[in-house]
Each structure stands twice: as structure tokens, then as C-alpha cells.
Amino acid sequence: MARVPIIAANWKMHKTIPEAVSFTLEILQALNFSGAEVVLCPPFTALWPVTRAASGTPLQVAAQDVYWADQGAFTGEVSPLMLRDAGCTYVLVGHSERRHLFGETDENVNRKVKAVLRHGLKAILCVGETLAERDAGGTNRVVERQLNLALKGLGMGEAAGLIVAYEPVWAIGTGRNAAPEDAQAVNFFIRELIRNRYNSEVADQVRIQYGGSVTPENAGLLLAQPDIDGALVGGASLKVDSFKLIVQAA
Ligand code: 13P
């Protein structure tokens, strides 16, 4: 089954509103959007300006995080309703920086995934092991736990629209990407977990990205793997030139 590759730019805590808007206008000029879905993940402050700039184009916008309640006394949080209001279609959930720097638990990731889907948004669920977990041979076990807990209570229809991003923590921001065959093996494992949990139709539909030091140089080989359906790009997504080359590799 042909899955449309999805390339997402996770800007993390980078870019002012003018910088985000000019990147958006430049990337719209630079790409023809055939053959790949492209998503920008600006910081919260730039969501609305970027969705305005991308309005009427195929370019999609994602938030980097969300809270699960619709509204209320949750100082500093942003609800899925607000993200819809700001024009987002996707939301990153469970990014390793949220898990490891801000104490995000698997239970909270599950609440967030459900809240995102309840509001008609699409989740990009991030999973991945630390270096210590990998060295201890625990990659599959960690990824399986994160995936199972994140998908708890999700029906077949909800799971089918999911994007999973496999991002080994040791590869993020380190310049040390996973070898294409290693990333392929984990992405294949994730797809088989989904096949066992749901069915083959869902498993063949779910897009599974790889993230972690993706660059224009390594994107081609990574994206050529049969179970790597896209990339979640950090550092190399901050410049139009390098991000454009990664999209073109897809
Ligand atoms: P880098 O591409 O900078 O390694 O970041 C990856 C990432 O965390 C994307 O979400």
C-alpha cells in the first residue's frame, strides 16, 4: 500500500513570528508539494501567523504539544480547541524533550492523544529509547511500552489516522542519526505492533516517521526504507535550503 511520505519541521523553541512567517512564504515558493505532505511545527506564538501564511496551500501546521482539557484553570497550557482555532491540523505528542525534560508520562501522552483525536486533529506520536536503554538491548521493549500505553483505549478508526515518529533519544540533536537499516528495523517492529493490536489494514495505513539528526545528506537513504514513511526534522528544518532538500528527498 502506498503511503504518502510526511515530512515535518519541528522548530522546537526557535523562531520569532516574522522569522516563522518568512520561512513559511519561502518554503511555499520553493516546493511544489507533489509526492509528500509537509508540516511545519512552529512554537505556539507563531501558530496563527503561520497558518494564515499557509492558508489555501497544501502546507500543514502542527503544534508541538497540547493539554488534554478543553478549557479551565490550567495556567500556561493550551487546549486542542485552541489549536484548532489557530488553524492546526496536527499535534506532536510525547516528544522526547517533553518526556525527558518536562516529565511527560505515558499516561499523559495517552490523554493527549485522545484529546487531539476527539477534536478532529491528528496526532504525531513520538516514541524512542535513550542511549542507556539501547545499550541494554531494550529498544523494542521501550518502544512497545510507549506505543501500547499511548494507544490505550483507542479504536481502530482512531488508530488508522495516526502518525508515529520513531525518534531515538540518542540521535536527537547529536549529529548521530540511526543507521537506515536500524531505523527500518524499529519502524517495522512498530508496524507489526500495530498489526497485532488492530489489523493489517490499519498497520499498512499508519505512517511511521524517523527523527533524529536527519539532514539532506542522510535523508535519501533513510526515506528509501520500506517502513520509513517520512521524517521529523529538528535542526535541519530551521533553514529553508536544508529543509527543502529533505522534502525533495522524499
Ligand atoms: P534533530 O533533527 O535536531 O536531531 O531533532 C530531531 C527531533 O527531535 C525532531 O522532533
Side-chain angles (χ1 to χ4, degrees), residues 11 15 17-33 38 40 49-50 53-54 57 59 237-245 247-248:
W11 291 344
K15 294 196 189 292
I17 292 170
E19 287 166 353
V21 170
S22 56
F23 182 109
T24 305
L25 298 175
E26 282 175 50
I27 203 78
L28 284 168
Q29 285 291 320
L31 294 176
N32 67 11
F33 297 94
V38 183
L40 301 181
V50 167
T57 78
L59 186 60
S237 76
L238 293 172
K239 294 254 170 7
V240 172
D241 286 347
S242 51
F243 185 62
K244 179 185 79 177
L245 290 170
V247 174
Q248 286 169 345

Side-chain angles (χ1 to χ4, degrees), residues 8-12 41 92 95-97 126 165 167-177 209-215 231-238 246:
N10 178 9
W11 291 344
K12 309 190 178 185
C41 318
L92 300 185
H95 189 277
S96 76
E97 285 147 21
C126 306
E167 295 205 305
V169 179
W170 49 269
I172 295 178
T174 58
R176 186 186 154 200
N177 63 287
Q209 297 174 309
Y210 165 79
S213 297
V214 175
T215 62
L232 184 52
V233 189
S237 76
L238 293 172
I246 294 170

